Amino acid sequence: MFSLILLKRILFALFALALPVKAQTQAWAWDDGTVPFVVTPMEIVERMLRMAEVKPGDYVIDLGSGDGRIVIEAAKRGARGLGVDLDPNLVKAATENAQKAGVAARARFETRDIFDTDLSQASVVTMYLLPDFNVKLLPRLLRLRPGTRIVSHDGGIGDWLPDEKLEMRAPEKSVGFDGVSKVELWVVPADVSGGWTGELPLHGGRWRWQIKQHYQMLEVEAAAEGRDLLVRASRLRGDELKLVVTGLIRGHAWHHLFVGKMAGNQITGEVTVSDGEQKRTYPWTANR
C-alpha cells in the first residue's frame, strides 16, 4: 500500500507544479494520505448527473464526496443522497454546504471508508477515484440491483466496458492535461446467461436462445422451427434485453425485434415482426 500512496503523491505533485499557486491551494487537498481529494468541476458534476438521469426517487451514493457538490446537486433534482469521505473536515464542510443550499433533509454525509459503505440501496453510484480503487469495487458494484447506474469521472472499472462515454473540456480542472475530463456510465446488467425457451404459437412455435454473457456484452444464438436464425444485434441495459433476429419462419423471411424485461428466470415482453410490407406484434415470454 505504501508504494501506491507514494505513487499517487508523486503523480499529483507533478500535475500541480504546472498550476498557479492560487489554483493549487483551492483546487485540491489530501485527506488522510491514502486518497487525493480533487474537486470535480461543476460542469462535470452536471454532466455526470445528466448521464445517470438522476431524478426524484433516486438514491445517490457518492464515494469520496469531498465538499459534497455531487450529492447536493442530486438533491436539488429531488433525489436523496449519501456522501462518504474519510476526512471528517470535508464531511463537516459538505454538511454545511448542504444546509446553505437548502437540501440538508435530502443530502447526508458521513465519515466512512468507501469499502465499508453499504451500496445496496443505491440507484446511482458516483465516484472520482483512482482506477485501482475502482477495480477493487468492481465485485460489489456488479452485485447491485440490475439497472443501477454508476458514473465515474476520469477512471474506468477494470475490464468492464462502459455503456456510455464522453470526453469534454473543463478549463477549471486542476489536474491532468488540457483540462480534458472523461465521464463514463455503466448500468449494472441482469444475469441473462444460459439457455432459454419460449413459445410463439402464431410465429414459429417453440423458440430457443443460447446466451453467453460478459458483463453487458452478449453472444446470442437463436433457433425456431429447428432452424438457426441470424442474431444481428443485441443489447442488455440493466434488466432490459433487446434482440434483433432475422430468418425464415414458415418459409418466409422475417425481421424480429424482441424487447423484454428480465425478472428471475423469466423474460417478458413483446416481439415485433416485419417483412417490409406488413408488421405484427406478439407477446413474448422466455424461460431459463
Side-chain angles (χ1 to χ4, degrees), residues 11 17 58 64 71 130 151 157 169 181 188 197 202 226 232 264 283:
L11 289 175
L17 286 176
D58 276 323
V71 173
L130 295 176
V151 188
I157 310 178
R169 293 191 178 277
S181 280
V188 176
T197 60
L202 299 178
R232 302 179 62 89

Side-chain angles (χ1 to χ4, degrees), residues 131-152:
D132 287 345
F133 286 82
N134 294 352
V135 170
K136 292 178 182 178
L137 288 167
L138 175 57
R140 297 181 58 205
L141 296 173
L142 288 172
R143 289 196 296 269
L144 297 177
R145 290 189 305 274
T148 302
R149 292 95 73 197
I150 302 162
V151 188
S152 175

Side-chain angles (χ1 to χ4, degrees), residues 158-177:
D159 64 343
W160 187 9
L161 296 177
D163 290 273
E164 297 180 26
K165 176 180 177 179
L166 66 85
E167 290 186 352
M168 59 182 291
R169 293 191 178 277
E172 70 272 32
K173 185 177 179 180
S174 59
V175 298
F177 300 98

Side-chain angles (χ1 to χ4, degrees), residues 122-248:
S123 59
V124 177
V125 176
T126 59
M127 52 195 187
Y128 185 12
L129 305 171
L130 295 176
D132 287 345
F133 286 82
N134 294 352
V135 170
K136 292 178 182 178
L137 288 167
L138 175 57
R140 297 181 58 205
L141 296 173
L142 288 172
R143 289 196 296 269
L144 297 177
R145 290 189 305 274
T148 302
R149 292 95 73 197
I150 302 162
V151 188
S152 175
H153 175 201
D154 279 352
I157 310 178
D159 64 343
W160 187 9
L161 296 177
D163 290 273
E164 297 180 26
K165 176 180 177 179
L166 66 85
E167 290 186 352
M168 59 182 291
R169 293 191 178 277
E172 70 272 32
K173 185 177 179 180
S174 59
V175 298
F177 300 98
D178 297 327
V180 175
S181 280
K182 180 174 64 176
V183 182
E184 294 171 289
L185 168 73
W186 294 260
V187 181
V188 176
D191 176 12
V192 297
S193 60
W196 297 81
T197 60
E199 298 290 338
L200 287 172
L202 299 178
H203 193 80
R206 171 158 293 195
W207 283 64
R208 299 183 184 276
W209 300 267
Q210 188 67 39
I211 301 178
K212 295 180 181 179
Q213 179 175 0
H214 183 65
Y215 303 120
Q216 77 276 32
M217 307 303 292
L218 306 178
E219 293 182 17
V220 185
E221 298 176 356
E225 298 181 334
R227 181 186 298 110
D228 291 336
L229 304 177
L230 176 64
V231 180
R232 302 179 62 89
S234 64
R235 191 188 81 167
L236 177 64
R237 190 176 179 91
D239 60 359
E240 182 186 67
L241 175 66
K242 291 186 177 182
L243 301 174
V244 177
V245 182
T246 58
L248 297 177

Side-chain angles (χ1 to χ4, degrees), residues 10-152:
I10 292 173
L11 289 175
F12 276 86
L14 289 174
F15 288 148
L17 286 176
L19 301 173
V21 174
K22 181 178 180 181
Q24 293 182 39
T25 57
Q26 292 183 350
W28 61 276
W30 292 92
D31 51 13
D32 69 336
T34 61
V35 180
F37 164 51
V38 183
V39 173
T40 300
M42 286 305 300
E43 60 186 314
I44 302 300
V45 172
E46 169 70 20
R47 187 55 63 98
M48 292 174 72
L49 297 178
R50 285 171 53 192
M51 186 176 282
E53 299 180 352
V54 173
K55 59 188 179 301
D58 276 323
Y59 184 50
V60 179
I61 296 182
D62 185 29
L63 301 177
S65 51
D67 63 6
R69 59 181 61 192
I70 290 179
V71 173
I72 290 170
E73 291 303 311
K76 290 179 181 179
R77 288 162 167 76
R80 294 181 303 116
L82 168 66
V84 299
D85 204 291
L86 279 176
D87 187 343
N89 293 322
L90 288 173
V91 171
K92 181 176 182 292
T95 300
E96 293 173 352
N97 290 339
Q99 293 171 345
K100 293 175 183 177
V103 294
R106 295 194 300 276
R108 181 166 55 96
F109 300 92
E110 295 182 1
T111 303
R112 186 184 297 176
D113 191 311
I114 61 174
F115 296 105
D116 294 331
T117 301
D118 180 8
L119 305 178
S120 62
Q121 299 305 308
S123 59
V124 177
V125 176
T126 59
M127 52 195 187
Y128 185 12
L129 305 171
L130 295 176
D132 287 345
F133 286 82
N134 294 352
V135 170
K136 292 178 182 178
L137 288 167
L138 175 57
R140 297 181 58 205
L141 296 173
L142 288 172
R143 289 196 296 269
L144 297 177
R145 290 189 305 274
T148 302
R149 292 95 73 197
I150 302 162
V151 188
S152 175

